C-alpha cells in the first residue's frame, strides 16, 4: 500500500539514548516502507549550528541518509537553525515553515505548529526575534562553547516561562487553524509542537476537514500515516 509518514517532536539528545535507539528502529522498520518521510520539526532538543561535532548528530545523519525514500524536514522551534550543510549530510530536503502537499487525492497542509499558537503572545514575540536572519548569522559566528551556553540559558528560560502559562494559551488558536486551512484550501492539516496527539474534525469553508496532531516521543513513538484510505495517528513503543 502507498503511504506517507509524518513524525515530529522527538527532541533527540545525548541524555535520552532510548529515544534515539527507538528512532533508529523506526527508520529501519517503518520508514523504509513508505513513499516519503516528513519530519515536522524538533527532531533535536536543540541545534546550535551544523558545525557542532556532537556524535549523535552524525549518527542520525547517517541513518537518514541510508533510507531508500525521500526525507523532508520542516524546522521546529528547537532546531530552527538546522542548515543546508546538515540537511545535505542527512539527504534531507528542507521545506518552508508551511507546505501544501497533494497526497492520494487530498490537499494536505503541513507545518511544525508553533505559528498556530497565537494566544501565546510572549512566545510569538520571541519567535519573530530569533528568526531574524541577521541575528542568526551573528549567533552562528560565535564560538561553539558560547553558543552552547546561550542555548542552555534559553532552554531554561523557556521552561520557567511555560510553568506560568495555561494549557489553553500554549495550544493552537482555532481561528488561526481555520484561517491557514482556508488560505490553502486544505482538507487536512498535520502538525506537531503541542504534544497533544489527536485527530480533530472541523469545518472549513462549510466543508469537513481534519487537524491531525503528532505526539512527542518522550514515552513512546508517534507517527501519522496518510494513504489512499485516509489518515491514521499511530502510537507505538520505541
Amino acid at each position: 500500500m502507498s503511504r506517507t509518514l509524518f513524525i515530529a517532536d522527538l527532541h533527540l539528545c545525548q541524555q535520552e539514548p532510548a529515544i534515539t535507539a527507538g528512532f533508529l528502529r523506526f527508520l529501519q522498520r517503518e520508514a523504509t516502507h513508505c513513499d516519503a518521510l516528513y519530519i515536522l520539526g524538533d527532531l533535536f532538543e536543540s541545534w546550535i549550528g551544523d558545525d557542532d561535532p556532537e556524535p549523535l548528530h552524525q549518527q542520525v545523519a547517517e541513518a537518514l541518509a541510508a533510507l531508500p525514500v525521500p526525507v523532508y524536514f520542516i524546522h521546529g522551534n528547537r532546531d530552527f537553525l538546522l542548515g543546508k550543510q546538515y540537511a545535505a549530510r542527512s539527504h534531507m530536503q528542507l521545506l518552508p515553515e508551511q507546505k501544501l502537499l497533494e497526497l492520494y487525492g487530498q490537499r494536505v497542509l503541513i507545518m511544525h505548529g508553533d505559528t498556530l499558537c497565537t494566544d501565546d503572545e510572549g512566545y510569538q514575540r520571541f519567535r519573530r526575534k530569533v528568526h531574524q536572519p541577521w541575528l542568526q548569522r551573528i549567533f552562528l559566528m560565535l564560538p561553539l562553547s558560547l553558543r552552547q551556553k546561550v542555548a542552555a540559558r534559553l532552554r531554561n528560560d523557556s521552561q520557567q516561562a511555560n510553568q506560568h502559562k495555561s494549557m489553553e494559551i500554549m495550544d493552537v488558536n482555532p481561528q488561526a487553524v481555520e484561517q491557514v486551512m482556508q488560505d490553502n484550501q486544505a482538507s487536512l492539516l498535520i502538525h506537531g509542537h503541542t504534544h497533544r496527539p489527536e485527530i480533530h474534525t472541523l469545518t472549513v469553508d462549510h466543508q469537513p476537514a481534519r487537524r491531525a496532531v503528532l505526539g512527542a516521543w518522550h514515552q513512546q513513538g508517534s507517527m501519522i500515516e496518510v494513504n489512499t484510505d485516509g489518515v491514521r495517528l499511530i502510537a507505538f513503543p520505541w
Side-chain angles (χ1 to χ4, degrees):
M1 174 189 292
S2 294
R3 63 179 190 151
T4 298
L5 300 182
F6 301 84
I7 58 174
D9 300 302
L10 287 82
H11 296 274
L12 299 178
C13 61
Q14 273 186 318
Q15 293 75 22
E16 298 285 353
I19 300 178
T20 301
F23 175 56
L24 297 178
R25 284 192 292 270
F26 163 81
L27 293 181
Q28 294 174 349
R29 296 174 182 176
E30 296 288 345
T32 54
H33 308 292
C34 67
D35 294 336
L37 172 65
Y38 287 84
I39 303 172
L40 305 187
D42 287 0
L43 175 61
F44 295 98
E45 173 66 11
S46 66
W47 195 266
I48 58 173
D50 290 5
D51 59 337
D52 187 349
E54 168 61 56
L56 169 65
H57 299 168
Q58 183 58 32
Q59 181 184 23
V60 171
E62 290 174 357
L64 289 169
L67 285 178
V69 302
V71 180
Y72 302 92
F73 181 83
I74 289 180
H75 293 99
N77 57 294
R78 298 298 187 115
D79 49 19
F80 60 88
L81 287 175
L82 190 149
K84 295 179 180 178
Q85 183 182 12
Y86 187 77
R89 296 208 320 257
S90 307
H91 294 186
M92 292 192 300
Q93 180 176 332
L94 298 180
L95 298 179
E97 66 181 32
Q98 63 182 52
K99 178 71 173 177
L100 183 65
L101 308 175
E102 294 281 352
L103 287 180
Y104 318 112
Q106 291 191 77
R107 290 174 65 87
V108 182
L109 181 64
I110 60 173
M111 59 178 61
H112 178 58
D114 56 334
T115 55
L116 299 171
C117 301
T118 55
D119 293 333
D120 192 346
E121 296 177 356
Y123 168 74
Q124 295 300 333
R125 285 194 298 270
F126 172 78
R127 187 185 190 280
R128 287 192 293 271
K129 183 183 300 183
V130 299
H131 277 74
Q132 294 286 340
W134 65 268
L135 186 60
Q136 294 182 3
R137 285 195 296 270
I138 291 174
F139 177 78
L140 293 173
M141 291 171 62
L142 297 174
L144 190 66
S145 59
L146 183 53
R147 279 181 268 158
Q148 290 171 334
K149 292 179 181 178
V150 171
R153 175 63 182 272
L154 290 175
R155 283 198 304 274
N156 183 63
D157 290 349
S158 174
Q159 289 170 356
Q160 291 188 356
N162 287 343
Q163 290 177 0
H164 303 288
K165 294 177 182 178
S166 69
M167 296 297 287
E168 289 77 18
I169 283 179
M170 292 190 291
D171 202 357
V172 301
N173 176 282
Q175 288 73 38
V177 169
E178 183 174 353
Q179 187 64 59
V180 75
M181 295 187 72
Q182 190 176 53
D183 291 345
N184 289 274
Q185 297 182 327
S187 60
L188 173 62
L189 169 64
I190 300 176
H191 70 84
H193 180 68
T194 63
H195 300 184
R196 303 179 188 189
E198 192 168 340
I199 297 180
H200 303 267
T201 58
L202 58 155
T203 302
V204 177
D205 271 345
H206 308 290
Q207 298 295 322
R210 285 173 293 181
R211 177 171 68 93
V213 188
L214 284 154
W217 283 46
H218 297 315
Q219 305 296 331
Q220 60 184 353
S222 177
M223 71 175 180
I224 285 173
E225 175 184 298
V226 178
N227 56 41
T228 52
D229 294 329
V231 56
R232 291 198 303 155
L233 172 65
I234 303 169
F236 54 93
W238 36 250

